[in-house]
Amino acid sequence: MPDADARLIGAHDLALAALHEITPASTVGPAAGYIVEDDGSVSLRFENRLPGYPGWYWTVTVARVEDAEPTVLEVELMPTDGALLAPEWVPWAERLAEYRAHQVELAEQAAADAAESGDPAVAGTGADDDDADDDDDADDDDFDEDVDDDLDDDDEDEDGDPSEPRTLHAGDLDGVDIDELDESADDDDESDDDDAESDEEE
């Protein structure tokens, strides 16, 4: 490892100026040491005050070219040992495959538990499905019976007591049975014919 350049180690003002260009001054704490890189550059570290980043440090890498003044190469937020890190990225296809495999395992375990307990509903023996089919058949029978009852009621209305109100059908106007109007009209015509014949005889 090359010897550290004293001017780079002491370039805190330059490093802080670079940090303040990318983050508020309130997020940067005091100096926290440095690391000499293999190429001779120096990474100056500062405590991080950003919430949610324990164990991370602001790092500013500075270097010198020949006899020139120190210059900033890189500014970044770097983790140290024990820092809180995000989990490694896993492709969606792999995560989906793991999820499906886990679901299969859960289903197999549930079936095994049900078989041990002797519960047919959980084991998937179809007992519940049969009950459901029976319920559907019963509902269909009830519906057919209701329709038959309605038809019988209509027949009784047509053949029942004449004194009872007749059921009106399509074509009736304002609650008046058109058939009754037709019968009245026929009666009126017969009365008129009888009157005419009487007049002729006189």
Side-chain angles (χ1 to χ4, degrees):
M1 180 180 295
D3 295 334
D5 187 325
R7 295 184 63 180
L8 295 178
I9 295 174
H12 289 94
D13 291 342
L14 176 64
L16 288 172
L19 281 173
H20 294 164
E21 291 180 2
I22 65 168
T23 186
S26 60
T27 65
V28 181
Y34 64 89
I35 299 174
V36 180
E37 307 294 348
D38 294 338
D39 59 359
S41 61
V42 175
S43 294
L44 302 174
R45 298 200 308 185
F46 298 85
E47 292 183 4
N48 166 53
R49 291 178 176 171
L50 278 174
Y53 288 87
W56 291 66
Y57 286 87
W58 291 111
T59 304
V60 181
T61 303
V62 294
R64 289 180 59 198
V65 178
E66 297 180 353
D67 294 332
E69 293 295 322
T71 184
V72 174
L73 299 180
E74 194 171 22
V75 180
E76 56 190 338
L77 189 60
M78 296 291 293
T80 58
D81 295 340
L84 180 62
L85 302 176
E88 293 184 5
W89 180 79
V90 178
W92 166 246
E94 294 183 14
R95 286 183 284 153
L96 180 59
E98 292 177 357
Y99 170 78
R100 288 177 174 173
H102 182 58
Q103 294 302 309
V104 172
E105 291 177 0
L106 292 177
E108 292 176 349
Q109 183 62 42
D113 294 343
E116 292 179 1
S117 63
D119 187 352
V122 180
T125 58
D128 286 349
D129 294 338
D130 293 340
D131 293 341
D133 292 340
D134 293 340
D135 292 340
D136 292 339
D137 293 340
D139 292 339
D140 293 339
D141 293 340
D142 292 340
F143 176 76
D144 293 339
E145 291 176 1
D146 292 339
V147 172
D148 293 339
D149 291 341
D150 291 340
L151 294 176
D152 293 340
D153 292 340
D154 292 340
D155 293 339
E156 291 176 0
D157 291 339
E158 293 179 0
D159 301 333
D161 187 351
S163 63
E164 294 294 329
R166 297 182 60 184
T167 302
L168 300 181
H169 305 286
D172 297 339
L173 301 175
D174 295 332
V176 178
D177 192 338
I178 293 178
D179 295 336
E180 292 181 354
L181 292 179
D182 290 341
E183 293 174 359
S184 300
D186 292 340
D187 294 341
D188 292 341
D189 291 340
E190 292 177 358
S191 299
D192 293 340
D193 293 340
D194 294 340
D195 294 339
E197 292 176 356
S198 300
D199 294 338
E200 291 176 356
E201 290 176 355
E202 292 176 357

